[in-house]
Amino acid sequence: MKKKSTVAKIEYLKDVRNGLEKYSLEINSLIENNLKENWSLNRISKINLSLIKIAIYEMLYKNLPYKVAINEVVELAKKYADESAPIFINGILASVVKEKN
C-alpha cells in the first residue's frame, strides 16, 4: 500500500479545517444533542472534541462510511487521548449515527 503524498495530506487537512469551520454550528449542535445530561462541549477535552468533530464531518459531509470514520478516530483516541476516551468517543458517535439514520 502506498503512503499518501504530502500534498494529499495537506489537501485533506485543509478540507477538514474548512469543513469544520463551515459546518461548525451543525456539528456542535449534533454533539450537544447526543451528550448525557449535565454535559456540555466545554466539559469534553480538546483532543476528544476534535476527534468527534472530524468523524462527524467525514460521516455527514464527506460520505465516509460511519464504521470507517468511527474506527479511525477511536484508534487515534487510543494513541493520543486518555484511556476512557475511545469508549466515550464511540458512544457519542454511535448516538449521532443513530440520530441521523
Side-chain angles (χ1 to χ4, degrees):
M1 179 153 81
K2 290 183 180 181
K3 289 188 175 187
K4 281 187 176 181
S5 72
T6 302
V7 172
K9 289 176 187 175
I10 291 170
E11 289 305 311
Y12 167 78
L13 292 172
K14 285 180 182 178
D15 175 65
V16 170
R17 182 199 63 216
N18 292 336
L20 291 176
E21 286 176 4
K22 181 175 181 179
Y23 300 108
S24 176
L25 293 176
E26 294 97 326
I27 291 171
N28 286 344
S29 178
L30 265 175
I31 296 167
E32 287 173 334
N33 291 343
N34 288 284
L35 289 173
K36 291 187 178 191
E37 246 182 79
N38 301 321
W39 272 81
S40 66
L41 292 179
N42 295 335
R43 197 167 163 200
I44 303 172
S45 75
K46 297 293 184 203
I47 186 71
N48 291 352
L49 187 57
S50 296
L51 292 171
I52 292 166
K53 287 179 177 185
I54 290 168
I56 291 172
Y57 172 70
E58 288 182 329
M59 291 186 300
L60 298 183
Y61 303 103
K62 299 303 288 182
N63 297 317
L64 188 67
Y66 73 88
K67 289 181 180 181
V68 174
I70 292 172
N71 185 60
E72 290 297 320
V73 297
V74 166
E75 290 303 314
L76 288 170
K78 288 177 184 176
K79 187 172 182 177
Y80 296 108
D82 62 62
E83 67 182 45
S84 64
I87 294 168
F88 175 75
I89 290 170
N90 189 55
I92 297 292
L93 293 174
S95 183
V96 168
V97 167
K98 189 175 179 181
E99 178 182 323
K100 288 306 213 174
N101 288 336

